[in-house]
Amino acid sequence: MTSSRPSAKSSPPRARAPRPPGAGRLSLAVVVLCSTGSALAALALPAALGVTLDELISTRRVPRSGLLLCAALTAAEVVLDAIVALVGGTTTARLTARLRTRVLERLIRAEPRHGAETAPGDLTTRLTANAAEAAAVPVTAANAAAVVLLPLGAAAALLAVDPWSALALLLGAPAFVLLLRALIRRTADVSADYQREQALIATRLTETLDGIDTVRAAHTATREHARITAPLTALAVHGHRVWEIQGRAVGGSAVLLPLLTILVLAVAGLRMSSGAISVGDLFAVSRYAVLAVGLGALTGALAAISRGRTAARRLQPLLDLPPVPHRSLALPPGGPGTVELRGVGVVRDGRQVLREVSLTVPGGTSIAVVGRSGSGKSTLAAVAGRLTDPDSGTVTLDGVPLDGVDPVRLRDEVAYAFARPALLGDTVGDTIALGASTPPPDRVRAAAEAASADGFVALLPLGYRTPLERAPLSGGECQRLGLARAFAHAGRLLILDDATSSLDTVTEAQVQRALARRAGTGTRIVVAHRVSSAAEADRVVWLDDGAVRAVGRHHDLWSDPSYRAVFHPPDDTGSPRDVRDEPDENDANGTGGTEHPAAPGPSPRPDGSPA
């Protein structure tokens, strides 16, 4: 099957604000209507106050109807603003959650290697800070419509009350437009730099936390602290630039807008003294002048939109990740699990990881995949269960091409265990039961027993109900939980990618016996570094530089010195060295190989027993 790989793009992805669902669009409509209503009430209030003031001066009686109208407009403005704050905040929170869910779904549905292209720290920054900024754009834009309506409506009302005062206001409009344009353009550039430095700090922090034992053992905590905090200098520079840009915009507004207000009031005062406008008109002009030049809220909204669009550009590559394609084919019920690879080739980072691999694994049998580090063992395991697609060739399970099977249904039939399993879930029992389907408790316990995990789980404070954070686990115990999870969900194909590397000899033998009991009921593919694992398999697939060098029984291959060297190659002195725990290749799919220290000891016999 040939994977569909996204084509490279010469231009950066366009920033697209999250599209609200039906309920979200209704909430945005409420925000627009209420904010517009509040702006209209704010625009009507100066005129109503002016008319009321003129009536009070001319009649010397309290204009009750006018006062009631002014009170009603004030109350309407307050209530509508409160609704905007409530609905807008709720809508932003929902859009943020929806956007984060969409990004996570894209990551989950894509090939693991695509998700692994973004560092975990950077990914965390995009899912938290960037998603929140991008999701705030729709509500900010909905409010911005009303923010723009206020100054424009005030300018129109000022023109209706006194055209000469409106002309004085328009004299400063070009300068303010240039001020806003510079603010938007410079804020976008600085926000992109700031967000990149944020991601770099998060990435380095995640790397250090992931390897904290190494940092402690090497006594390099001070050096790591300096490495993590080094980008803070650039971050501070970008942060100061943001405040500098906004400060200049606010400072320019603080100088320009009062001057405009004074100019408008001076013209209106002269007009009133000449009898062209009334006292009420002068009051209305003063209020409309304040509203017309009150574009400070607009500068904040435009800056927030600019930051949100920059954040959306960082999210867009994740949202554009292609899902694993399929044609909704179904596997034959009760199939034995026969796996066939025909001419499979895989290229990662320009390197040919697998070369024209052709292989048939009969249903119900087991194979051990062996080879030196970098020979492509983990990649073959990933291709066999479709954790990644080959760049050429086909892979079938019981005669059905894997690229045609729904990936969700395929997970019910293919189970994986890795060298470093991710323990997800709230409790120990949850992490064993985690999968496409949830097995019953008795099956979870049986799987734990098969993986030799039931003994140490029983010693935990609450057994299988023990929260993971209260369960201190060694590397071998983590591997046993990963094996138990694979056993609990084992279908017609079980793939163990270096999944027993941290187990002691006795525990590994128990796991091997559990695998042997599956003979005839499911196919097993084991990426093996130990002689014992290869000796227990029905057949061995020997990989060398991405190609199949030989296929046969371990006992027959053992006569080849090159095969024996896979398990104990000579060291620098030319003496044999045992590499039963030799590290596998750094798998680009993020699905397998990991490093383990070589276990010193005598060279094993062909059957895996100590010499």
Side-chain angles (χ1 to χ4, degrees), residues 89-110:
T90 303
T91 303
T92 298
R94 289 175 177 171
L95 288 177
T96 301
R98 183 172 181 268
L99 181 58
R100 288 170 176 164
T101 301
R102 283 179 56 201
V103 174
L104 283 174
E105 286 179 346
R106 286 289 185 175
L107 284 168
I108 292 171
R109 292 182 180 276

Side-chain angles (χ1 to χ4, degrees), residues 86-262:
L86 176 62
V87 176
T90 303
T91 303
T92 298
R94 289 175 177 171
L95 288 177
T96 301
R98 183 172 181 268
L99 181 58
R100 288 170 176 164
T101 301
R102 283 179 56 201
V103 174
L104 283 174
E105 286 179 346
R106 286 289 185 175
L107 284 168
I108 292 171
R109 292 182 180 276
E111 284 190 44
R113 64 189 176 101
H114 291 322
E117 292 172 357
T118 305
D122 188 5
L123 185 60
T124 301
T125 302
R126 298 189 194 199
L127 283 172
T128 53
N130 296 158
E133 290 179 323
V137 170
V139 173
T140 304
N143 274 319
V147 173
V148 172
L149 177 62
L150 269 178
L152 294 181
L158 192 60
L159 182 63
V161 174
D162 182 31
W164 289 100
S165 299
L167 180 61
L169 176 68
L170 292 177
L171 291 177
F176 197 79
V177 170
L178 292 176
L179 190 68
L180 290 178
R181 185 170 179 269
L183 171 67
I184 296 171
R185 184 177 64 252
R186 297 183 64 191
T187 298
D189 296 337
V190 176
S191 296
D193 295 335
Y194 188 88
Q195 290 167 3
R196 279 194 295 269
E197 295 299 330
Q198 273 186 321
L200 179 59
I201 292 173
T203 297
R204 292 182 177 181
L205 178 60
T206 303
E207 291 171 351
T208 301
L209 291 176
D210 189 48
I212 192 65
D213 290 338
T214 302
V215 173
R216 289 171 177 168
H219 198 61
T220 56
T222 303
R223 189 184 308 168
E224 284 301 305
H225 179 272
R227 188 177 73 93
I228 294 170
T229 57
L232 285 176
T233 302
L235 188 71
V237 170
H238 299 317
H240 289 153
R241 286 179 61 196
V242 171
W243 288 112
E244 180 184 351
I245 292 169
Q246 294 187 355
R248 287 182 178 179
V250 172
S253 301
V255 174
L256 178 62
L257 301 185
L259 290 177
L260 282 176
T261 304
I262 293 171

Side-chain angles (χ1 to χ4, degrees), residues 437-462:
S437 58
T438 303
D442 57 341
R443 187 172 176 181
V444 169
R445 291 180 179 273
E449 291 176 1
S452 296
D454 186 65
F456 74 81
V457 172
L459 298 177
L460 295 174
L462 298 176

Side-chain angles (χ1 to χ4, degrees), residues 20-42:
R25 288 193 291 270
L26 179 60
S27 298
L28 287 179
V30 172
V31 170
V32 171
L33 290 176
C34 290
S35 59
T36 302
S38 174
L40 293 176

Side-chain angles (χ1 to χ4, degrees), residues 40-51:
L40 293 176
L43 290 172
L45 184 58
L49 287 172
V51 172

Side-chain angles (χ1 to χ4, degrees), residues 451 456 473-483 499 502-504 507:
F456 74 81
L473 302 172
S474 67
E477 289 169 341
C478 289
Q479 276 199 345
R480 280 184 268 175
L481 289 182
L483 285 165
S502 296
L503 303 185
D504 59 83
T507 304

Side-chain angles (χ1 to χ4, degrees), residues 293-581:
V293 300
L295 292 176
L298 181 59
T299 61
L302 292 178
I305 292 174
S306 180
R307 290 194 301 271
R309 288 177 62 85
T310 302
R313 278 193 290 271
R314 286 178 52 78
L315 291 173
Q316 201 58 53
L318 301 178
L319 292 171
D320 289 339
L321 288 176
V324 176
H326 65 90
R327 300 190 299 276
S328 299
L329 300 180
L331 294 171
T338 300
V339 179
E340 293 187 59
L341 287 75
R342 290 290 176 264
V344 167
V346 175
V347 178
R348 295 292 181 265
D349 299 325
R351 186 173 74 91
Q352 191 81 29
V353 182
L354 292 180
R355 307 169 185 271
E356 293 295 322
V357 174
S358 295
L359 175 68
T360 299
V361 186
T365 65
S366 64
I367 66 164
V369 183
V370 305
R372 293 182 182 273
S373 177
S375 59
K377 301 184 296 297
S378 288
T379 303
L380 187 146
V383 167
R386 210 194 179 193
L387 285 187
T388 189
D389 283 337
D391 296 281
S392 61
T394 59
V395 182
T396 63
L397 179 60
D398 287 331
V400 180
L402 288 188
D403 64 350
V405 182
D406 185 338
V408 176
R409 295 184 178 180
L410 186 62
R411 292 307 129 214
D412 285 327
E413 300 292 344
V414 182
Y416 271 92
F418 302 107
R420 291 185 294 181
L423 302 183
L424 307 175
D426 296 328
T427 66
V428 173
D430 290 341
T431 198
I432 297 176
L434 183 71
S437 58
T438 303
D442 57 341
R443 187 172 176 181
V444 169
R445 291 180 179 273
E449 291 176 1
S452 296
D454 186 65
F456 74 81
V457 172
L459 298 177
L460 295 174
L462 298 176
Y464 289 89
R465 294 183 291 108
T466 303
L468 284 173
E469 63 270 14
R470 292 178 55 192
L473 302 172
S474 67
E477 289 169 341
C478 289
Q479 276 199 345
R480 280 184 268 175
L481 289 182
L483 285 165
R485 182 167 56 204
F487 291 160
H489 297 86
R492 65 184 74 192
L493 177 59
L494 177 62
I495 301 175
L496 307 185
D497 188 358
D498 199 19
T500 61
S501 57
S502 296
L503 303 185
D504 59 83
T505 305
V506 174
T507 304
E508 185 193 16
Q510 294 171 347
V511 172
Q512 292 289 356
R513 286 195 293 271
L515 287 172
R517 287 194 292 269
R518 287 185 50 83
T521 61
T523 305
R524 289 92 65 208
I525 298 177
V526 180
V527 174
H529 294 91
R530 294 178 174 177
V531 174
S532 56
S533 298
E536 291 289 338
D538 295 323
R539 287 193 306 164
V540 174
V541 176
W542 178 11
L543 290 181
D544 187 10
D545 195 23
V548 177
R549 180 165 177 174
V551 178
R553 293 184 58 82
H554 169 75
H555 185 80
D556 298 330
L557 295 174
W558 189 257
S559 60
D560 189 332
S562 298
Y563 179 76
R564 294 198 301 271
V566 169
F567 299 96
H568 47 88
D571 59 17
D572 294 338
T573 65
S575 302
R577 179 168 62 91
D578 180 15
V579 290
R580 287 172 290 175
D581 296 320

